[in-house]
Amino acid sequence: MTHDVAHRRWRDALAVYLQAPVITMLFLGFAAGLPFLLVFSTLTAWLRDAGVEVAAIGFFSWIGILYSIKIAWAPIVDRVPLPGLGRWFGQRRSWMLCAQLTIAAGLLGLATLSPPAHLIPIAGLALLVAFGAATQDIVIDAYRIESAEESVQAAMASTYIIGYRGGLLAAGAGALYIADAASWHVAYACMAALVGVGIITTLVRPEPQRSTLGIQLANEPRVRAFLHQHRHAPRRRRRFGAWVIGAIVCPFTDFFARHGRTALWFLLFIALYRISDLAMAAMANPLYIDLGFSLSEIANVTKVFGIAMSILGGVAGGLLVVRFGLGRMLVVGALATAVTNLMFVALANAGHSFPMLVMTIMSDNLANGLASTVFIAFLSSLTSRAYTATQYALFSSLMTLPGKFLGGFSGLVVDGVGYTGFFTVSAALGVPAVLLALWLARAQRRT
């Protein structure tokens, strides 16, 4: 009897992955992961393969800053209905569809251009793709939270991550394979076609049930206080003020009210935790190409094998957090991210060494997978469920902004001190994050 009960519990637990909202996140995760590399490392590989100087390629990493400043328009996407499409598809699906069509249009435009003759138009279209992708991320986060009850959220997050890695694989290894076999133009045209996975998912899945904007605002104490204080003001002014307070002010004041002065240290830690990894990322593919590795070799090792190692690192990170706690693993993740940058120094010194390439990619992706999982758990612990979308957009934006900004100068640093010096500097950038992680771990042990 006990065996039957245990078997039934395992069967019920696994059955959650057959629920429609959970399966939906597999495809939306793919849609979210697809455009990321196409305006980042895959794009830098294309530019370097076409003979663009590394100094210019470094500045292209600034395109990723759009992911880092999505908090600027997250409240609008979160709370303002999209005219026209909103009537047909609802607020979440209309914004998602608009973002996906923007991504597809930008990728098709890129497929018609050739570097280095069209660097400025390429940069403009890459910015368009990044804007659409960042907007899509905002909507998918909100859609995931609103599509099912809390008990299903873990399973939805799991399938989303698997789908996201699939999108990275298609945009990384898939695009490099196609470029090697045909051309970069064909590769980007194929990637534009794959955006259809997200579009079809958006069209066939229903709009999640959610409270109207009026009900959401009415539940905010600060909004009610504003409306009471300005009860004699014009109706339009009262509605606009209530929206600004509920959508923009409350998520920030809630965070600082809950954490006090420590909130500033949390924000600094968030900004520095991935700076070492993000600052060096734009120069990884140019290094591989300059060392003489073919596009197929890069795809096999950095994308297929690398993503497998990243998934393994993520699984290990989840298990280690349970075993040793979040504080200790934040230290391990920060240290591993910084130290594995030194593997790129060894690769640069070794030259065209395939075993060294494998070792470098294995260590780098294991560290990044572990650090990402641990850090997502940390960000989730800081987020209030009342303001999930906007607060998480704030944290994820702040997490990537410093590294992306510094990454814009990466090509100039490589020109000045070479790959060895550059990756040594990028490893040193991780030291402040390690020190802050140690402080945070000690603070957690005291509480």
Side-chain angles (χ1 to χ4, degrees), residues 241-319:
W243 182 88
V244 169
I245 293 172
I248 301 175
V249 176
C250 287
F252 295 95
T253 55
D254 167 80
F255 176 69
F256 283 96
R258 286 187 294 113
H259 298 291
R261 294 180 181 177
T262 309
L264 293 174
W265 289 104
F266 283 152
L267 293 177
L268 179 62
F269 180 60
I270 291 169
L272 294 178
Y273 193 77
R274 298 297 304 276
I275 193 171
S276 174
D277 173 42
L278 294 172
M280 56 73 65
M283 289 297 107
N285 276 333
L287 170 64
Y288 307 145
I289 292 173
D290 287 350
L291 290 179
F293 295 104
S294 70
L295 294 180
S296 293
E297 287 176 323
I298 296 171
N300 288 332
V301 181
T302 68
K303 307 306 178 185
V304 179
F305 177 70
I307 287 177
M309 291 297 101
S310 180
I311 293 173
L312 180 60
V315 173
L319 293 174

Side-chain angles (χ1 to χ4, degrees), residues 24-79:
T24 298
M25 296 315 301
L26 183 68
F27 296 101
L28 291 182
F30 179 89
L34 182 70
F36 182 73
L37 293 183
L38 296 176
V39 294
F40 195 42
S41 65
T42 299
L43 181 61
T44 63
W46 180 15
L47 296 177
R48 189 57 181 158
D49 190 47
V52 177
E53 295 296 327
V54 291
I57 293 174
F59 289 115
F60 269 79
S61 69
W62 280 349
I63 292 169
I65 289 179
L66 278 177
Y67 282 92
S68 305
I69 61 173
K70 61 185 178 182
I71 184 60
W73 66 94
I76 296 174
V77 175
D78 193 24
R79 305 236 180 176

Side-chain angles (χ1 to χ4, degrees), residues 218-444:
N219 290 328
E220 299 281 5
R222 290 182 179 86
V223 172
R224 293 199 300 269
F226 171 84
L227 292 175
H228 178 74
Q229 184 179 357
H230 297 83
R231 56 187 177 276
H232 300 302
R235 177 181 175 85
R236 182 172 297 180
R237 178 184 169 188
R238 294 174 75 237
R239 292 186 64 182
F240 178 74
W243 182 88
V244 169
I245 293 172
I248 301 175
V249 176
C250 287
F252 295 95
T253 55
D254 167 80
F255 176 69
F256 283 96
R258 286 187 294 113
H259 298 291
R261 294 180 181 177
T262 309
L264 293 174
W265 289 104
F266 283 152
L267 293 177
L268 179 62
F269 180 60
I270 291 169
L272 294 178
Y273 193 77
R274 298 297 304 276
I275 193 171
S276 174
D277 173 42
L278 294 172
M280 56 73 65
M283 289 297 107
N285 276 333
L287 170 64
Y288 307 145
I289 292 173
D290 287 350
L291 290 179
F293 295 104
S294 70
L295 294 180
S296 293
E297 287 176 323
I298 296 171
N300 288 332
V301 181
T302 68
K303 307 306 178 185
V304 179
F305 177 70
I307 287 177
M309 291 297 101
S310 180
I311 293 173
L312 180 60
V315 173
L319 293 174
L320 291 171
V321 167
V322 174
R323 176 64 181 83
F324 297 106
L326 184 57
R328 290 181 181 177
M329 293 315 301
L330 281 172
V331 177
V332 172
L335 187 61
T337 300
V339 170
T340 51
N341 272 8
L342 297 177
M343 292 295 295
F344 288 90
V345 176
L347 176 63
N349 290 329
H352 189 276
S353 170
F354 192 78
M356 192 64 214
L357 176 66
V358 172
M359 289 295 297
T360 301
I361 297 306
M362 181 177 69
S363 59
D364 181 57
N365 281 274
L366 281 171
N368 287 341
L370 184 148
S372 296
T373 298
V374 173
F375 203 52
I376 288 172
F378 172 69
L379 295 183
S380 299
S381 71
L382 296 181
T383 305
S384 169
R385 191 162 181 82
Y387 311 102
T388 305
T390 303
Q391 286 187 353
Y392 200 89
L394 166 67
F395 298 151
S396 59
S397 296
L398 186 60
M399 174 185 69
T400 57
L401 181 58
K404 293 288 187 182
F405 176 76
L406 291 178
F409 301 102
S410 58
L412 296 177
V413 179
V414 170
D415 268 351
V417 301
Y419 285 113
T420 299
F422 168 75
F423 286 108
T424 302
V425 171
S426 66
L429 288 175
V431 174
V434 175
L435 297 177
L436 282 170
L438 285 167
W439 166 79
L440 186 62
R442 290 172 183 168
Q444 282 192 338

Side-chain angles (χ1 to χ4, degrees), residues 172-228:
L176 291 178
Y177 285 139
I178 295 171
D180 205 24
S183 70
W184 284 106
H185 305 289
V186 175
Y188 270 76
C190 290
M191 296 302 108
L194 284 178
V195 178
V197 172
I199 294 174
I200 293 172
T201 305
T202 303
L203 293 175
V204 301
R205 293 297 300 150
E207 177 78 359
Q209 296 294 322
R210 57 197 300 267
S211 302
T212 64
L213 180 60
I215 294 175
Q216 293 177 40
L217 294 178
N219 290 328
E220 299 281 5
R222 290 182 179 86
V223 172
R224 293 199 300 269
F226 171 84
L227 292 175
H228 178 74

